[in-house]
Amino acid sequence: LPLQFDWRDKNLVTGVKNQLDCGACWAFSIVGAIESANAISGNPLEDLSVQQVIDCSYLDRGCNGGSTDSALKWLNQTHTKLLRSSEYPFKARTGTCHYFPPTEHGVSINGYEAYDFSNYEEEMMKLLISVGPLAVIVDAVSWQDYLGGIIQHHCSSGHSNHAVLVVGFDKTGDTPYWIVKNSWGTSWGVDGYVHVKMGENVCGIADFVTFPVM
Amino acid sequence: FFMEKWGRKYPAGSLPSQERYQVFLKSLERHRFLNSDARNTSDAHYGINQFSDLSVEEFTNTYLRSHPPRNKDYYVPKKKAFGEKS
């Protein structure tokens, strides 16, 4: 395994989004994973509609909360095609699900997988390199005040509450860390990203790992 | 400075404004506590950002709205982790 890996280096990660006052981190997380997986499959990298997932994933509660696995389950069961973000733009509130004919351009998934990698973060590294960015659910209470650096304390496994996207890792320094894309805008953290220590399941980053199969 | 940087406007002299200021002061206390564990330069650092005028409860209720699966049965057992497939 390489000491350093980052899907952004290959231009396969879209820009950081801002969920504003809408509690739909779960939708931003899986849409980010699908955007990258779609591009890794050889298609152009493009922003897909988070609002479509917020409005239409009936297993979740829109801006009031949801789960990455139930959103992927909905996408997989219904074969819904995700439209471009420009066609179904983000409004930061839950709305009525808009129907589009199946002939419409869009990105659908062929399945999804879910893993528990607590104590198996080396396996998670392999998976990240093999399939693309991974949607995870973490304990992010202390992230309210994060400015930069590598998170190593003040969060725990077993209290997952926020969905984000792992896009890479860096083991070249004294403290290896995961590179994590958040959805709180670019002015938060390290240009919208956060670094989380690897190897100790810090913030429960390896507890609930999902990704789409294209 | 915070209000200017993050475009906040609180009605001058109103009670909510005072309460909001107390929330901000509590954030500063929290930053001191969070930073007290830093042992080297690579450790995370915490301070004033766009969420500093929110209480922990407000922040949690607004932004931390994802939850793990209620039924974890479908999760692949650890021993069948991806690396072993190949």
Side-chain angles (χ1 to χ4, degrees):
Chain A
L1 288 172
L3 284 176
Q4 197 174 23
F5 186 86
D6 189 340
W7 281 108
R8 291 177 298 177
D9 296 340
K10 303 172 193 298
N11 196 28
L12 291 167
V13 181
T14 59
V16 170
K17 310 297 185 300
N18 193 338
Q19 67 184 78
L20 302 175
D21 291 343
C22 169
C25 53
W26 54 279
F28 283 92
S29 171
I30 64 132
V31 169
I34 294 168
E35 289 166 343
S36 290
N38 184 48
I40 292 166
S41 305
N43 299 302
L45 179 69
E46 55 187 356
D47 286 329
L48 299 175
S49 176
V50 175
Q51 190 66 44
Q52 187 180 4
V53 178
I54 291 170
D55 292 350
C56 303
S57 178
Y58 66 91
L59 297 167
D60 298 292
R61 295 184 296 125
C63 286
N64 290 321
S67 178
T68 49
D69 62 294
S70 56
L72 284 167
K73 187 177 183 180
W74 162 73
L75 278 167
N76 191 40
Q77 278 179 346
T78 59
H79 305 292
T80 298
K81 286 182 175 177
L82 280 186
L83 302 178
R84 293 187 189 97
S85 179
S86 57
E87 295 166 317
Y88 200 145
F90 181 59
K91 293 179 176 166
R93 61 178 187 275
T94 314
T96 307
C97 179
H98 293 241
Y99 175 78
F100 292 86
T103 51
E104 195 82 20
H105 160 87
V107 177
S108 57
I109 65 171
N110 280 318
Y112 67 99
E113 293 187 26
Y115 291 88
D116 175 353
F117 283 122
S118 46
N119 303 317
Y120 294 88
E121 284 179 68
E122 284 263 324
E123 294 297 321
M124 189 167 151
M125 289 166 62
K126 290 180 195 170
L127 186 67
L128 175 83
I129 293 170
S130 304
V131 304
L134 305 171
V136 300
I137 312 178
V138 296
D139 169 21
V141 172
S142 67
W143 295 18
Q144 175 177 1
D145 305 299
Y146 176 76
L147 295 181
I150 304 169
I151 291 188
Q152 309 177 42
H153 315 286
H154 304 302
C155 63
S156 56
S157 58
H159 295 88
S160 305
N161 46 43
H162 182 53
V164 287
L165 189 68
V166 178
V167 303
F169 58 82
D170 191 331
K171 298 180 81 173
T172 57
D174 290 340
T175 308
Y177 61 86
W178 294 108
I179 301 166
V180 181
K181 182 186 179 187
N182 202 351
S183 52
W184 295 341
T186 52
S187 55
W188 178 87
V190 184
D191 299 324
Y193 281 77
V194 52
H195 298 158
V196 179
K197 187 181 182 183
M198 295 177 82
E200 295 171 15
N201 196 20
V202 171
C203 302
I205 196 163
D207 281 340
F208 306 104
V209 180
T210 53
F211 67 93
V213 177
M214 306 307 286
Chain B
F1 174 74
F2 170 83
M3 289 169 66
E4 191 176 302
K5 181 170 181 184
W6 299 106
R8 298 294 201 276
K9 287 175 183 155
Y10 310 114
S14 69
L15 188 62
S17 176
Q18 295 293 329
E19 286 175 354
R20 196 53 63 193
Y21 183 59
Q22 293 304 315
V23 167
F24 183 81
L25 293 180
K26 275 198 172 179
S27 289
L28 302 185
E29 277 178 34
R30 200 171 57 240
H31 302 158
R32 276 193 287 276
F33 166 72
L34 291 168
N35 285 323
S36 64
D37 269 342
R39 293 184 187 95
N40 54 57
T41 53
S42 68
D43 269 335
H45 41 280
Y46 303 88
I48 297 170
N49 64 12
Q50 65 267 52
F51 300 129
S52 297
D53 62 343
L54 298 179
S55 68
V56 171
E57 292 73 25
E58 287 171 320
F59 175 78
T60 302
N61 290 337
T62 306
Y63 295 98
L64 307 184
R65 301 301 294 257
S66 189
H67 53 77
R70 290 182 184 88
N71 179 358
K72 212 182 162 188
D73 287 350
Y74 70 85
Y75 269 75
V76 179
K78 290 171 185 172
K79 285 186 179 175
K80 288 185 185 173
F82 185 84
E84 293 177 31
K85 276 187 186 170
S86 55

